[in-house]
């Protein structure tokens, strides 16, 4: 049975009390339906990484943690940045190159590639988000220079993100094949308007290894159903 990654991208959402509430709802659902071949990766805002880690530990929950971003620099005089060495205290994974960062924060392929470099140097596993094959090729060149390998790609067509209009599972599967043609046997996740209703149609596609979930991950019950249904 293939492995599925189910990643929650909380984006810039939730207060501390909402984080706690989420765990209240989620914990119960998860305990009723143990996760076996599915790796759940929760990515909250930086400020809640310690709290989320504490809640996972206290509840002995089978949940991994990821960060939503990483500085393109190491430690030093980079006011306001959070670097990979700091993140390593909390997470195993880091989302890099999300289209919202490319669009709203001017993240070019070069910056994305620097961030990949920071992740590789510090043994964080990047979940590289791409919306087209050019972005894959750019990252491929960077990875070669680090003598490393991209471990997880999330294919997220921009028109599908936050719109309620997901890509078709068939098109996502074709894109996954194109990505694997470039990068070899890398797990490809699909992201963009994934819900508890449609998650299974993506999870069963031959070339897909899971989903990256934005809005629907904010509700603990919906997210629990996504894990169950995947
Ligand atoms: P969405 O977001 O599930 O709300 O469409 C996905 C993402 O941006 O990762």
């Amino acid at each position: 049975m293939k492995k599925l990654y189910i990643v929650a991208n909380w984006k810039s959402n939730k207060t501390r009390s909402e984080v706690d509430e989420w765990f209240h709802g989620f914990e119960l659902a998860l305990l009723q339906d143990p996760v076996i071949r599915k790796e759940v990766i929760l990515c909250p805002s930086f400020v809640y990484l310690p709290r989320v880690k504490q809640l996972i530990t206290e509840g002995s929950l089978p949940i991994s943690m990821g960060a939503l971003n990483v500085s393109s620099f190491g430690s030093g005089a980079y006011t306001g940045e959070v670097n990979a060495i700091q993140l390593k205290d909390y997470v195993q994974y880091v989302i890099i190159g999300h289209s919202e960062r490319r669009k709203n924060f001017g993240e070019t392929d070069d910056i994305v590639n620097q961030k990949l470099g920071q992740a590789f140097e510090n043994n964080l596993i990047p979940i590289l988000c791409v919306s087209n094959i050019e972005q894959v090729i750019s990252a491929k060149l960077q990875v070669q220079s680090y003598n490393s390998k991209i471990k997880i790609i999330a294919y997220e067509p921009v028109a599908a993100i936050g719109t309620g209009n997901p890509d078709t599972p068939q098109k996502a599967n074709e894109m996954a094949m194109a990505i694997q043609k470039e990068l070899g046997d890398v797990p490809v996740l699909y992201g963009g308007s994934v819900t508890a209703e449609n998650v299974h149609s993506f999870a069963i596609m031959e070339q897909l290894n899971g989903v990256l979930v934005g809005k629907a991950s904010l509700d603990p019950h919906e997210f629990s159903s996504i894990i169950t249904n995947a």
Side-chain angles (χ1 to χ4, degrees), residues 33-67:
D33 188 357
V35 181
I36 303 163
R37 74 201 153 84
K38 302 169 185 172
E39 180 166 356
V40 177
I41 305 171
L42 182 54
C43 307
S45 296
F46 288 147
V47 282
Y48 300 123
L49 287 172
R51 180 63 181 154
V52 166
K53 187 166 181 158
Q54 186 186 13
L55 288 164
I56 289 173
T57 307
E58 282 173 5
S60 301
L61 298 171
I63 301 179
S64 307
M65 286 175 65

Side-chain angles (χ1 to χ4, degrees), residues 9 11 98 100 156 160-162 192-194 212-215:
N9 171 6
K11 307 194 179 187
H98 192 282
E100 286 156 9
E156 299 206 305
I161 295 178
S193 299
V194 172
L212 177 48
V213 189
K215 189 158 178 270

Side-chain angles (χ1 to χ4, degrees), residues 4 16 32 62 66 70 78 81 100 124 146 154 176-177 180 193 217-218:
L4 289 178
R16 154 106 186 197
Q32 283 159 9
V70 61
Y78 304 102
E81 288 291 275
E100 286 156 9
L124 289 175
Y146 273 90
M177 260 187 303
Q180 285 159 349
S193 299
S217 71
L218 296 174

Side-chain angles (χ1 to χ4, degrees), residues 46-201:
F46 288 147
V47 282
Y48 300 123
L49 287 172
R51 180 63 181 154
V52 166
K53 187 166 181 158
Q54 186 186 13
L55 288 164
I56 289 173
T57 307
E58 282 173 5
S60 301
L61 298 171
I63 301 179
S64 307
M65 286 175 65
L68 293 168
N69 187 23
V70 61
S71 177
S72 52
F73 297 97
S75 53
Y78 304 102
T79 302
E81 288 291 275
V82 178
N83 66 58
I85 304 157
Q86 296 169 320
L87 289 176
K88 249 189 2 184
D89 285 336
Y90 297 98
V91 305
Q92 218 181 325
Y93 297 93
V94 58
I95 293 177
I96 292 178
H98 192 282
S99 60
E100 286 156 9
R101 295 212 56 86
R102 293 181 193 257
K103 177 171 164 248
N104 298 315
F105 304 97
E107 279 193 14
T108 59
D109 281 349
D110 279 351
I111 294 173
V112 168
N113 289 343
Q114 279 174 36
K115 292 185 174 194
L116 283 176
Q118 286 297 319
F120 289 138
E121 280 177 16
N122 294 288
N123 296 319
L124 289 175
I125 301 174
I127 300 172
L128 175 66
C129 295
V130 298
S131 33
N132 57 53
I133 205 74
E134 287 74 27
Q135 290 169 352
V136 176
I137 293 168
S138 163
K140 179 180 164 183
L141 299 174
Q142 166 72 358
V143 168
Q144 281 163 353
S145 75
Y146 273 90
N147 214 359
S148 200
K149 218 177 147 229
I150 295 205
K151 301 240 175 59
I152 307 179
I153 290 272
Y155 166 57
E156 299 206 305
V158 174
I161 295 178
T163 58
N165 293 317
D167 206 350
T168 65
Q170 289 72 20
K171 273 207 224 144
N173 196 57
E174 276 167 30
M175 187 63 181
M177 260 187 303
I179 290 168
Q180 285 159 349
K181 220 170 132 198
E182 290 296 335
L183 297 179
D185 195 16
V186 60
V188 178
L189 321 186
Y190 167 75
S193 299
V194 172
T195 62
E197 282 68 50
N198 66 24
V199 66
H200 190 62
S201 63

